[in-house]
Amino acid sequence: MKLIKVEHAYKIYKNGTTAVADLSVSIDKGEFVFVIGSTGSGKSTFIKMLYREEKPTKGNVIVGGINVAKLRNSKVYKLRRKLGVVFQDFKLLPKLNVYENVAFALETLGLPNEEIRPKVIKAIESVGLKEKMRSLPSELSGGEQQRVAIARAIVNEPRLLICDEPTGNLDPETSKEIMKILDKINKESETTIIMATHDKELVNRMKKRVLVIENGVLVSDTKKGSYKVHESSKDSK
Amino acid sequence: MRAVRILNRSIRDSFKSVFRNLSLSTASIACTTITLILVAISLFLSYNVREVTNTLEHELTIVVYLKKEVTKEEKNKIESDLKTMPNVDSYKIKTKDEWKAEMKKESDTLEITLEYLEENPLLDSVIVTVKDVKDLKVTAEKIRQYDFVSSAEYGEGMVENIIGIFDAVSIGTFGIVIALVLVTAFLISNTIKLTIFSRKTQIEIKRLVGASNTAIKLPFIFEGFILGILGSIIPIIISIYGYTVLYNQTGGYVFTKIITLVRPFPFVFIVSGFLVLVGSCVGMLGSWRAVRKYLKI
Ligand SMILES: Nc1ncnc2c1ncn2[C@@H]1O[C@H](COP(=O)(O)OP(=O)(O)OP(=O)(O)O)[C@@H](O)[C@H]1O
Ligand SMILES: [Mg+2]
C-alpha cells in the first residue's frame, strides 16, 4: 500500500525561487527512505510539503489518503495527527522535563491523563531515556535531547515519521545511536521513516532507499542506495 | 470529553500565563478596574437620572394664579379648556381660602399677618399636572395667554437645568467609558501579544503534533477573559458597598426630595452582572485582536 504519493509536485516560493520541480515519487508503508542532495537543493522543501508546512504550488502530494495540496489551513491538524516530525534543533520546551515534553503532545490533543501516562513511558523507554525522565532539556546531551524529540514524535504512534537532518547537530557516535533508534522504530512498529541528511557515512552504512534531489529535481531513486550514486550522478553532469 | 479536557488545560495555561507576566497583567487589570469603575458610575448616574425624570413627570405641576377680578364664567372657561389641552394630565382647583389655611399652618408670622388683614390677599388658583415634563414650558406659555391669568409658575429653569446637567454628565461619562474601553482592550491585547511571542515554540509544537487552530488559540482568548474578570472584582465591591452606603447615608434623597435614588437591591447586583459582562468582553476583545494579529498559524 502506498502511504505517500507525490505527483508532479512543484514548489515555487513567493520570491520566485523554484525549490521543487516536477517531483514524482511513491513511498510504501513501512519503508525507510533517505533524502539527500547538496545544500539548497530542496530537501527540506520536499519534506515540508509532506506535512503541509508548505503547500505545493502545483501537483498532488497525497499522504495517508489526504491530498495536502487541497488541504485547508484549518484542517491541517488532521494530517499532523497521522505523522511525527523531528528537526535538527530538537524544539523542546526548556521548562518542561523529559516526561512533560513528551506528554505535552498528547495533552494538547486532549487525551485523558490515564491514557497519556503509559503511552509516554512506552515512548521514552523506546528511546532509552527511562532513567532521565525527570531531567530538564538543559541537563541532557544533544543526543539525549534528540531522543526526547523522537519520543515526542512517536508517542501518538504515527504511521509516518519525518526527520529533517536529525543528526545535523550531533557527532558521529551520537548520530549512530540516533540511527539505531530510528531503525528500531521502523522495524518494530512498521513506521515509515523519511529522513533528509547530509551525512554520507550514515547513508552508506544503512543501505536503505535513497532519493537524490538536485536543484529541486529528483535525479535518482535507488533501493539500498548509497551516497556514491549521488556523487557519480553529479560527476556525470 | 476530549473538548472538555482541552478546555480545562487551556484555562490552566491561561492562569499560569497571567501570573507569569505579573507586571503586565497587573497593568491590564488596573486599567480594566478603572474603566469598570467609570462604567459603574455612569450606570448609576444614567439610571438614577431616568428615575428622576420619571418622578418629575409624575409630580411636576404648574400653579396657575388667577387674577383677583376673575369671573365665574372665566373660571369655567379655563376648566373646560384645560380638559382639552393634550399635555394636561389633571388639574385641581385651589381657592384663596385653601391657600390661606395652608399658609397659616406654615408659620406663626404669616398667621398673624393674614388674620390682621380683613380681605384675603391671596389668589384663586388651578394646579395643573402635565403628562410630559418636556412640554411643560409650552403648556405654561399657553395658559399665560388668558387675560384673567395672573401667572403660571413651575420650577422654571431649575427642572430643565437638572435634567440638562444629568444628561451632559451621562453623555460625558459614556464618551470617557468608550475611550477607556478601547485603551483597556489595547493594553490587554498587548499583554496577550507578549504571551504569544514568549510561547512561540509551544505554539509551533502544538501545531506540529496536530492541535486544531481553535485549541491553539483558546488559551490566549481565556487569558484576556481572565484579565477582564479579575479587573471587575474591585469595581463590583465598590458598586455594592459604595452605592448601598450612599443610599443609606442620604436616606435615598439627593439635594431635595425631587431626586430619589433607586433602591440598592437588586439594582447593585444587576450593575455587578453588567460589569462582569463588560470586563470579560473587553478582555476577549483584546485577546481576539492579539490572536488575529500575532498568532499566524
Ligand atoms: N521560505 C522560503 N522562501 C523563499 N525561498 C526559500 C524558502 N525556503 C527555502 N527557500 C529556497 O528554496 C531552495 C531550497 O531550500 P531547502 O531549504 O529546501 O533546501 P535544503 O535542501 O533543505 O538545504 P539544506 O541542505 O541547506 O537544508 C533554496 O534555494 C532556498 O533558498
Ligand atoms: Mg534543509
Side-chain angles (χ1 to χ4, degrees):
Chain A
M1 203 202 104
K2 301 278 178 253
L3 182 68
I4 295 171
K5 212 166 172 179
V6 180
E7 299 167 336
H8 306 289
Y10 285 79
K11 179 68 202 183
I12 301 158
Y13 282 111
K14 279 203 189 81
N15 64 4
T17 312
T18 304
V20 167
D22 198 20
L23 196 150
S24 297
V25 70
S26 301
I27 293 168
D28 280 336
K29 190 170 179 281
E31 273 196 88
F32 196 127
V33 184
F34 283 115
V35 180
I36 62 172
S38 47
T39 178
S41 57
K43 304 181 294 292
S44 294
T45 304
F46 166 62
I47 274 183
K48 280 177 182 167
M49 287 197 287
L50 297 179
Y51 64 94
R52 180 52 169 74
E53 185 65 24
E54 294 293 349
K55 209 173 180 171
T57 315
K58 224 165 82 181
N60 290 324
V61 175
I62 297 155
V63 177
I66 296 174
N67 192 345
V68 174
K70 294 200 176 104
L71 190 63
R72 273 192 294 141
N73 207 35
S74 58
K75 298 279 179 254
V76 169
Y77 72 92
K78 291 190 173 173
L79 172 73
R80 299 280 169 90
R81 285 180 191 178
K82 292 172 187 260
L83 50 84
V85 195
V86 175
F87 301 93
Q88 186 170 355
D89 61 341
F90 324 136
K91 294 193 198 297
L92 300 177
L93 294 168
K95 284 178 187 159
L96 302 187
N97 67 31
V98 170
Y99 179 91
E100 290 161 341
N101 259 291
V102 178
F104 182 78
L106 299 178
E107 281 172 3
T108 299
L109 298 182
L111 266 71
N113 287 329
E114 59 275 17
E115 237 174 87
I116 292 176
R117 217 183 145 70
K119 282 189 179 204
V120 172
I121 290 172
K122 190 177 158 217
I124 292 176
E125 273 173 354
S126 74
V127 296
L129 275 181
K130 208 180 169 207
E131 261 64 70
K132 307 239 166 166
M133 211 133 82
R134 302 287 156 208
S135 305
L136 291 173
S138 55
E139 297 159 355
L140 301 176
S141 72
E144 286 167 337
Q145 287 185 53
Q146 190 59 295
R147 275 143 71 184
V148 179
I150 292 170
R152 183 179 63 198
I154 61 165
V155 71
N156 205 18
E157 291 161 6
R159 288 192 277 164
L160 172 64
L161 183 61
I162 294 171
C163 313
D164 195 351
E165 303 196 36
T167 59
N169 274 343
L170 307 173
D171 61 63
E173 273 312 303
T174 318
S175 299
K176 258 186 206 168
E177 278 172 35
I178 296 291
M179 290 320 292
K180 253 189 219 155
I181 289 167
L182 290 179
D183 199 33
K184 193 182 84 183
I185 291 166
N186 172 243
K187 288 202 173 107
E188 282 178 4
S189 56
E190 279 220 311
T191 309
T192 308
I193 296 184
I194 297 178
M195 171 172 160
T197 184
H198 275 125
D199 193 330
K200 287 181 199 183
E201 264 184 61
L202 192 150
V203 174
N204 291 341
R205 198 174 54 238
M206 297 284 289
K207 306 223 165 15
K208 302 286 186 188
R209 184 177 171 188
V210 177
L211 305 180
V212 184
I213 297 180
E214 275 315 326
N215 295 318
V217 178
L218 180 67
V219 291
S220 86
D221 177 357
T222 31
K223 296 254 177 251
K224 299 200 174 182
S226 69
Y227 223 90
K228 291 204 188 76
V229 185
H230 176 34
E231 306 267 83
S232 58
S233 76
K234 221 173 172 185
D235 293 343
S236 64
K237 265 189 192 168
Chain B
M1 268 336 275
R2 178 184 274 252
V4 173
R5 277 188 297 267
I6 291 177
L7 215 67
N8 266 337
R9 286 169 188 157
S10 298
I11 294 172
R12 197 186 54 196
D13 262 18
S14 315
F15 268 109
K16 270 190 204 159
S17 169
V18 166
F19 291 105
R20 200 163 295 150
N21 306 327
L22 200 59
S23 56
L24 253 156
S25 301
T26 311
S28 298
I29 292 169
C31 199
T32 314
T33 303
I34 294 167
T35 307
L36 291 181
I37 289 175
L38 260 142
V39 170
I41 291 174
S42 78
L43 275 178
F44 284 121
L45 263 177
S46 65
Y47 201 81
N48 276 310
V49 167
R50 251 199 298 152
E51 276 298 295
V52 167
T53 323
N54 283 341
T55 318
L56 288 177
E57 274 171 27
H58 281 108
E59 291 181 3
L60 216 95
T61 52
I62 305 171
V63 183
V64 182
Y65 292 103
L66 304 174
K67 285 188 176 153
K68 222 176 179 64
E69 58 277 14
V70 68
T71 63
K72 183 94 181 145
E73 289 76 50
E74 284 167 338
K75 278 190 191 166
N76 288 340
K77 180 168 169 36
I78 193 161
E79 274 199 57
S80 60
D81 281 5
L82 282 173
K83 275 181 194 144
T84 62
M85 280 189 201
N87 196 30
V88 172
D89 189 49
S90 62
Y91 66 88
K92 210 180 105 219
I93 306 278
K94 196 166 179 184
T95 62
K96 53 185 174 190
D97 295 330
E98 284 168 345
W99 279 111
K100 189 174 170 182
E102 192 180 305
M103 282 178 138
K104 272 156 90 176
K105 251 185 251 161
E106 255 169 51
S107 91
D108 294 340
T109 343
L110 269 176
E111 186 175 359
I112 296 161
T113 323
L114 286 170
E115 284 304 328
Y116 176 76
L117 293 168
E118 261 170 42
E119 204 185 346
N120 185 348
L122 299 168
L123 299 170
D124 285 328
S125 65
V126 188
I127 297 180
V128 179
T129 310
V130 295
K131 284 181 185 144
D132 188 354
V133 72
K134 288 191 198 78
D135 291 332
L136 193 63
K137 199 173 169 182
V138 181
T139 310
E141 285 302 332
K142 219 189 248 172
I143 295 170
R144 278 179 194 143
Q145 308 276 306
Y146 295 98
D147 302 331
F148 52 87
V149 167
S150 164
S151 65
E153 287 167 8
Y154 59 97
E156 220 149 348
M158 192 270 243
V159 179
E160 281 127 333
N161 282 344
I162 290 179
I163 294 175
I165 288 167
F166 275 148
D167 271 353
V169 172
S170 300
I171 292 169
T173 18
F174 188 72
I176 295 170
V177 163
I178 294 288
L180 271 172
V181 161
L182 293 179
V183 171
T184 310
F186 184 78
L187 207 86
I188 290 178
S189 142
N190 235 31
T191 311
I192 311 276
K193 176 179 101 180
L194 285 183
T195 312
I196 291 175
F197 286 169
S198 72
R199 292 199 174 178
K200 250 188 137 107
T201 321
Q202 210 191 80
I203 293 167
E204 193 186 351
I205 293 166
K206 280 190 178 180
R207 180 109 173 116
L208 265 180
V209 300
S212 68
N213 291 2
T214 319
I216 295 174
K217 288 173 184 171
L218 225 47
F220 302 105
I221 301 289
F222 275 129
E223 191 176 337
F225 182 79
I226 290 168
L227 291 175
I229 297 284
L230 290 179
S232 65
I233 292 174
I234 294 175
I236 285 174
I237 294 172
I238 291 179
S239 297
I240 294 178
Y241 283 91
Y243 189 75
T244 315
V245 165
L246 177 78
Y247 187 87
N248 292 338
Q249 291 287 319
T250 58
Y253 298 111
V254 181
F255 307 132
T256 65
K257 288 217 168 186
I258 311 182
I259 304 169
T260 45
L261 293 175
V262 184
R263 295 156 66 77
F265 300 100
F267 182 47
V268 285
F269 294 129
I270 296 169
V271 170
S272 302
F274 191 72
L275 291 181
V276 173
L277 192 77
V278 172
S280 51
C281 284
V282 169
M284 287 197 291
L285 182 76
S287 43
W288 181 74
R289 178 181 174 272
V291 164
R292 263 188 60 120
K293 238 178 134 175
Y294 305 107
L295 190 61
K296 297 271 179 266
I297 47 177

